[in-house]
Amino acid sequence: MEPMFGRHRRKIMPNVLPDHPGVTADASDLAAYAMDKASALNRHMLGYGALAEGEWAARGLGAPDLDALRAYRLKRIRNELKRQDLAAAILCDPLNVRYATDCTNMQVWCTHNAVRYAFVAAEGPVVLFDFHNCDHLSAHTDLVDEIRHGVTWFYFEAGPRSAEKAVRWADELADLVETHGAGNKRIAVDKARREGIAALEARGLEIHDGEEVMELARAVKGPDEIKAMRRSIAACEAAMAVMERSLQPGMSEWDLWAILHAENIRRGGEWIETQLLSSGPRTNPWFQEASSKIIEAGEIVSFDTDLVGPYGICCDISRTWLAGDGRPTNEQRMLFQMAADQIAANRSMLAPGKTFRELSHGAVSLPPDFIANRYSVLFHGVGLCDEYPAVPYPEDWAATGYDGVLEPGMVVCVESYVGRQGGHEGVKLEEQVLITDTGFEQLSTYPLDARLMGA
């Protein structure tokens, strides 16, 4: 099949369907008609609909300039490639492909079926290798210079021909490096099985860490990314409001969790990465997934959204609510206040130039009988998902910590889980915060449970 070039494709208007070429049309005319029709009806062309747009308008949240957002992201990747003297990046992680191209196709399925990947030259084209007959999914952007059908060499698709097809995969990519790399054989690869890496190396390429390239590129958000993130958070918080209004003793954890999923999808959201919602005794220790357990009056319900919303932007905030109409116990209020105080104190540390070590070792921690149940990190980055950096408790610094510096445009989540070791319940809170030129701005705005705060 001849490759398709985005810059030469006809401009497609959403919902403006082409005229059918007629029953006597040849295969070429029918293919062009199908491409134009599917392109006009692509989800990225149709937009987010009246519900989401109405809520965003009510909150005064303007739309991001998506062309500017895409150009900013591509520039971030290319700048990082040039900084590391790399000719190109081969991106297989669906979120990295999304960042580089802003094209989507079966995102979750593609995380375990490697059918999509992208080639990004430091100086040259962006080539998207997509699933078969999916060329229309990139017609909404001129960012993609060329579309090709990907070579699928995971075992489900390739079977015993996997090794053979891995060589075909590598040969095509190596040819692109030779054509556009100006003699530089150093490339970045984010995720690929060893057969593919070996085949690339057999073509004389020197492989470097593509995850590092992409995490560093994705770390600092541009103005239009922040606009998109504000909208994603607003959609998530609207979904949370429906959850909270619906919370009644007698419903199951799954009943409540399903509302967040449904309301996210209604607003053009994409998926939720975890199922972290639990109630009563299942809140301690943390990391219980939602279950068939019935929520009882007087129990606390804790959850972490981990939600990929509109624009593919992650909204990662946590809340704890009291079920029923009663008053919280002294223990519940103590747990909640400890978590709220930890979040407030650690959020106040955030500023450009602050090092990860300073954040780890200077943060408010937990008393000895709570520290064993501590969360895995105090702070972490967020964008299309949880991203660089991750800042652990000082107890974990030697094993997992690494240093770096906060920069304006980074977005980080401030985490707290408070549950006594061997205790009955636990409280999870988390806020999403933008690092500004002078300090920080909290992006998440959903109110804390007033009764648990002592009102």
Side-chain angles (χ1 to χ4, degrees):
M1 177 180 177
E2 289 296 316
M4 296 192 59
F5 293 85
R7 66 185 63 176
H8 299 309
R9 281 177 279 172
R10 291 183 291 277
K11 188 68 176 176
I12 304 297
M13 298 298 293
N15 284 322
V16 178
L17 300 185
D19 294 329
H20 194 281
V23 294
T24 61
D26 62 20
S28 177
D29 288 338
L30 289 173
Y33 163 75
M35 174 71 179
D36 288 352
K37 178 167 71 73
S39 298
L41 297 174
N42 182 354
R43 58 178 295 188
H44 294 283
M45 299 292 287
L46 296 176
Y48 287 102
L51 175 62
E53 292 289 353
E55 290 173 345
W56 293 331
R59 294 180 62 162
L61 297 176
D65 181 333
L66 292 179
D67 288 336
L69 179 153
R70 293 162 185 153
Y72 173 86
R73 288 175 171 175
L74 183 56
K75 184 177 180 180
R76 290 281 303 178
I77 297 172
R78 285 179 165 152
N79 284 347
E80 189 60 31
L81 289 172
K82 293 171 186 175
R83 188 185 73 83
Q84 298 193 34
D85 188 28
L86 299 167
I90 296 170
L91 306 176
C92 304
D93 185 320
L95 292 182
N96 287 335
V97 174
R98 172 68 177 272
Y99 185 86
T101 68
D102 201 30
C103 300
T104 58
N105 188 359
M106 305 180 292
Q107 290 284 86
V108 176
W109 190 78
C110 289
T111 62
H112 58 94
N113 293 286
V115 297
R116 301 180 82 232
Y117 48 99
F119 171 88
V120 180
E123 298 283 356
V126 174
V127 182
L128 175 62
F129 295 82
D130 214 332
F131 198 49
H132 73 96
N133 292 336
C134 290
D135 306 56
H136 55 279
L137 295 180
S138 58
H140 61 286
T141 171
D142 289 331
L143 201 68
V144 177
D145 297 294
E146 182 180 344
I147 308 164
R148 300 187 188 184
H149 290 173
V151 178
T152 53
W153 50 282
F154 57 99
Y155 203 85
F156 160 51
E157 282 272 345
R161 299 182 64 187
S162 180
E164 166 204 333
K165 295 184 74 175
V167 172
R168 285 174 47 196
W169 173 85
D171 283 347
E172 189 171 12
L173 291 165
D175 286 343
L176 283 169
V177 175
E178 184 175 345
T179 301
H180 302 288
N184 187 350
K185 299 291 188 178
R186 294 163 47 85
I187 65 168
V189 181
D190 61 352
K191 287 183 172 70
R193 284 170 35 206
R194 61 181 180 84
E195 297 93 335
I197 297 296
L200 290 170
E201 290 175 333
R203 286 290 303 264
L205 299 180
E206 183 180 322
I207 310 302
H208 294 265
D209 186 358
E211 284 195 1
E212 178 185 38
V213 168
M214 293 305 296
E215 290 285 345
L216 294 177
R218 287 163 54 174
V220 177
K221 280 65 182 174
D224 289 286
E225 285 187 287
I226 298 302
K227 286 185 178 181
M229 183 173 284
R230 292 183 194 279
R231 284 186 157 204
S232 183
I233 291 172
C236 176
E237 292 184 338
M240 290 167 60
V242 180
M243 278 180 77
E244 189 171 19
R245 290 194 298 269
S246 304
L247 172 57
Q248 295 290 334
M251 70 190 308
S252 74
E253 293 171 354
W254 277 334
D255 290 332
L256 185 61
W257 190 239
I259 294 168
L260 184 64
H261 276 267
E263 295 298 322
N264 180 43
I265 298 301
R266 291 184 68 210
R267 291 164 175 81
E270 300 188 7
W271 74 84
I272 299 179
E273 296 218 276
T274 66
Q275 295 191 37
L276 294 177
L277 180 147
S278 53
S279 60
R282 297 186 76 248
T283 61
N284 186 346
W286 188 237
F287 286 112
Q288 292 273 23
E289 295 187 326
S291 74
S292 60
K293 179 191 172 297
I294 300 303
I295 299 169
E296 298 182 15
E299 291 184 330
I300 59 173
V301 177
S302 296
F303 67 96
D304 191 338
T305 60
D306 288 324
L307 180 151
V308 178
Y311 304 99
I313 299 287
C314 183
C315 177
D316 190 8
I317 65 177
S318 300
R319 290 294 182 266
T320 296
W321 297 329
L322 182 66
D325 299 325
R327 297 167 62 91
T329 66
N330 289 338
E331 174 79 0
Q332 288 170 334
R333 287 191 297 129
M334 181 275 292
L335 295 171
F336 194 92
Q337 192 63 57
M338 188 184 299
D341 289 347
Q342 185 184 29
I343 290 280
N346 292 346
R347 178 184 55 208
S348 70
M349 299 175 63
L350 297 173
K354 187 75 71 171
T355 69
F356 305 161
R357 173 180 277 277
E358 288 173 325
L359 292 174
S360 173
H361 290 78
V364 168
S365 189
L366 298 169
D369 52 339
F370 292 85
I371 198 68
N373 274 349
R374 65 188 177 276
Y375 197 68
S376 58
V377 292
L378 289 158
F379 309 87
H380 68 80
V382 65
L384 297 183
C385 61
D386 289 356
E387 297 176 352
Y388 168 90
V391 180
Y393 276 79
E395 290 83 353
D396 305 313
W397 182 264
T400 65
Y402 54 85
D403 214 352
V405 179
L406 291 182
E407 300 178 49
M410 284 184 170
V411 180
V412 299
C413 290
V414 187
E415 295 269 13
S416 178
Y417 172 75
V418 175
R420 197 186 306 273
Q421 186 176 24
H424 179 62
E425 290 182 307
V427 166
K428 180 72 165 63
L429 296 178
E430 180 183 9
E431 303 289 6
Q432 197 156 326
V433 180
L434 170 66
I435 307 302
T436 67
D437 290 331
T438 57
F440 69 87
E441 177 194 349
Q442 184 166 307
L443 300 177
S444 51
T445 63
Y446 200 88
L448 301 179
D449 187 297
R451 289 177 296 170
L452 289 169
M453 286 290 287

